[in-house]
Amino acid sequence: MYYGYGMDFAYLGIVILSIVLGGITQSYINSQYKKWSRVPASTGRTGAQVARQMLDSEGAPNVGIGRVDGHLTDYFDPRDNNLHLSAENFEGGSVASVAVACHEAGHAVQTAKGYAMGKFRTALVPVVNFTQQIWIVVLVIGMALGLVGLTQFAVALFAFSVLFQLVTLPVEIDASKRAVRYLSTAGGAIDEKGARQVLTAAALTYVAAALISVLQLVYLMGRTDSRN
């Protein structure tokens, strides 16, 4: 990518690392999901049914559950207080389906119980949505006019995206822990083992994204300082 600094080996390395890590983590989560999607959950219930039970028992009975299109597009939306599960995880009764559904239920439980990091992450959303749209524009203007202060401000705006990625890590890990903990008591050993493997693979995608974001921030800070 070209930010007016010119392509160099440092940034090329970040780009290559981003592509490699993204490919590896995506391949790993797909393989784990595919592996455990062939194994029936010991509960004999669908992902939606197990998630419903988890929500009811963990203090989030008012959360709804619905379908969403796509593959592994599952998410919890605090705005409508609903789990949105892909058809395979809503209707499927595999270990993988139950694991993903319970992970999303974990996010709903976080909201219901006022999980601090989750609240912080939610508060960052409008800020990050704004900064992601304007930071590159501010950077280009700052470089075009030779205003180092403006380029530094652009990097500071980008830092909010990095902060969001870092805050997302404990939120996702906590939701996975809640899912595994619930399945360890409400399901069987196979459910707990499969959920742990599937959700660990999913967590690695967030770790990789956070790492790349941090490297990009360090790169931009270093290039801005060198111009200063």
Side-chain angles (χ1 to χ4, degrees), residues 8-112:
D8 59 24
F9 288 112
Y11 197 79
L12 180 60
I14 294 175
V15 172
I16 294 174
L17 181 61
S18 175
I19 295 172
V20 172
L21 281 181
I24 291 175
T25 55
Q26 194 60 47
S27 176
Y28 184 52
I29 188 175
N30 286 336
S31 67
Q32 288 299 310
Y33 183 85
K34 185 176 181 180
K35 170 186 174 180
W36 289 101
S37 65
R38 301 192 188 101
V39 181
S42 66
T43 60
R45 297 180 176 86
T46 66
Q49 290 171 335
V50 178
R52 176 76 274 157
Q53 291 177 326
M54 179 177 171
L55 292 169
D56 292 343
S57 66
E58 296 293 321
N62 296 325
V63 176
I65 305 178
R67 293 181 180 83
V68 66
D69 294 333
H71 172 66
L72 291 180
T73 50
D74 313 78
Y75 67 97
F76 166 67
D77 192 339
R79 295 170 298 181
D80 63 10
N81 202 35
N82 278 306
L83 300 189
H84 299 270
L85 303 178
S86 57
E88 57 196 333
N89 295 327
F90 185 98
E91 301 168 352
S94 69
V95 170
S97 296
V98 169
V100 173
C102 286
H103 171 84
E104 299 307 329
H107 283 305
V109 173
Q110 288 174 339
T111 299

